[in-house]
Each structure stands twice: as C-alpha cells, then as structure tokens.
Amino acid sequence: MGKTIKLISGDGEMFEVEEAVAFQSNIIKSLADEDNADDCIPLPRVDSQILSKVLEFCRKHANSPSVHTKFAAIPSELCPKHDGSAAGASSSESSSAHSETCRACYDAVMKLVQWDLEFVKVDLDLIHHLLKAANYLDIEDLMFMAVEGAANAIRGNNPEEIRKLFDLENDFTPEEEKEILKEYSWLDDPFEP
C-alpha cells in the first residue's frame, strides 16, 4: 500500500485512501500539494454516503488512464507500443504482440466502461449528488459518467414525464406549447429520440 491521504466528509467521517485514489480528484491533489497531506483534508460539501460512492469510483479508476474524456485515444494511452515507435513495429512478431497488447488494453477499457455504466444506474437523487460531488472535487471521468447516468434516466421520456421526474411545473401556456409543436412540426415526434 502506497502513501495515504485522510479525507474528512462534510458530516465528519474520516476516510483514509491511497494517494492514487484520492488524486483522481484535482482538488484533493491540489490541497495535498499544499503540504496538507499529513493533515486531514476537509471536504465540507460532500457527505460520507456520497464520498463513499465517489471513492468507490475513484478506486476503480485509480490505475487506469482517463477512458471517457479521451476515448478516441484509448490505444495510444494504454499501450506503450501503440504510439508508432520503432519498438512496436520492428518485426512481424513484435507487431503481432503489439496487436494483442492493444486488444487486451481495449478489452480492459471496455470492461471499465461497462462497470461505469452499471455504477450510474441509480436513482436521480444519487446522480444529482454525484454530479455535485464530481464538480466540487473536479473528477472529470465521474462528471462524464454522472451526466451519462442522468441522460440515460431521462432518455425516451416525453416532456411531461421529465417534468414529473424532476418535480417541475409546466410553465408554458397552451399557446406556447402549440407554437413549439408548430415550430418543430417537421419532426415526426419532436420529443422522441
């Protein structure tokens, strides 16, 4: 086990986590770099229940490159031979090994993506708290996945169902609704994906 960082949630619970886990958060990394690493780092805007979920996500991503925000660059980020260097392409044998390494890297990334998709299959209240925590702690991959979870939760719902999900009042007058429908009449159903 490497160096650890102590975090204090908004409701006073202490979490001791490995540096690689804690440093998924740019805010925690910044605070630890300011010589606070020996002390506990307070996180007043994140309660212990949410911090526990955030740290679960961070543990899963601790030793993986950012797979969501740089999805197009996965092979070069994961496979050191994929960058086109001579070491990766000098012979057909090493080229074959290189392809297998990239395939293994790709499979590992896809397994992580699947885990992430399951991680955000939660109720909208938890998604909301994860979004706030990811924003506050500056964890880009968690923000990406929480937004994906929110989008999946509302996908396929009509406006009235979305209003109900978020407990929103319809503030359009019937005339405004007709105008909107008229404006988007070129769509078969403007509210279907």
Side-chain angles (χ1 to χ4, degrees), residues 1-7 15-38 41 55 58-59 61-63:
M1 186 170 177
K3 186 175 177 181
T4 61
I5 304 286
K6 295 175 186 170
L7 308 171
F15 294 80
E16 190 167 347
V17 297
E18 290 183 29
E19 195 174 70
V21 172
F23 284 4
Q24 295 294 300
S25 163
N26 291 321
I27 294 299
I28 293 171
K29 185 176 183 180
S30 176
L31 291 171
D33 286 346
E34 295 174 1
D35 296 326
N36 292 329
D38 293 334
I41 298 175
L55 292 174
C58 291
R59 280 185 192 93
H61 286 256
N63 297 311

Side-chain angles (χ1 to χ4, degrees), residues 92-161:
S92 62
E93 184 177 311
S94 64
S95 180
S96 174
H98 166 238
S99 296
E100 287 301 314
T101 302
C102 285
R103 181 64 191 175
C105 292
Y106 177 79
D107 290 344
V109 167
M110 293 314 295
K111 186 175 179 180
L112 183 59
V113 168
Q114 281 304 117
W115 184 90
D116 287 349
L117 289 171
E118 289 300 317
F119 180 80
V120 295
K121 284 186 180 176
V122 294
D123 64 73
L124 279 173
D125 187 51
L126 182 52
I127 289 287
H128 178 250
H129 288 292
L130 288 173
L131 277 167
K132 286 178 19 181
N135 184 48
Y136 170 65
L137 296 171
D138 192 9
I139 305 172
E140 195 171 358
D141 281 348
L142 180 56
M143 177 65 83
F144 181 92
M145 286 313 303
V147 166
E148 182 70 22
N152 286 338
I154 64 173
R155 187 170 282 124
N157 291 320
N158 65 38
E160 195 56 43
E161 292 168 331

Side-chain angles (χ1 to χ4, degrees), residues 75-94:
S76 62
E77 291 228 347
L78 294 176
C79 181
K81 294 181 180 180
H82 195 287
D83 65 1
S85 67
S90 61
S91 72
S92 62
E93 184 177 311
S94 64

Side-chain angles (χ1 to χ4, degrees), residues 177-191:
E177 282 189 27
K178 285 180 186 177
E179 185 62 34
I180 290 170
L181 290 173
K182 181 180 171 185
E183 185 177 335
Y184 291 97
S185 65
W186 55 274
L187 295 172
D188 289 337
D189 186 347
F191 301 111

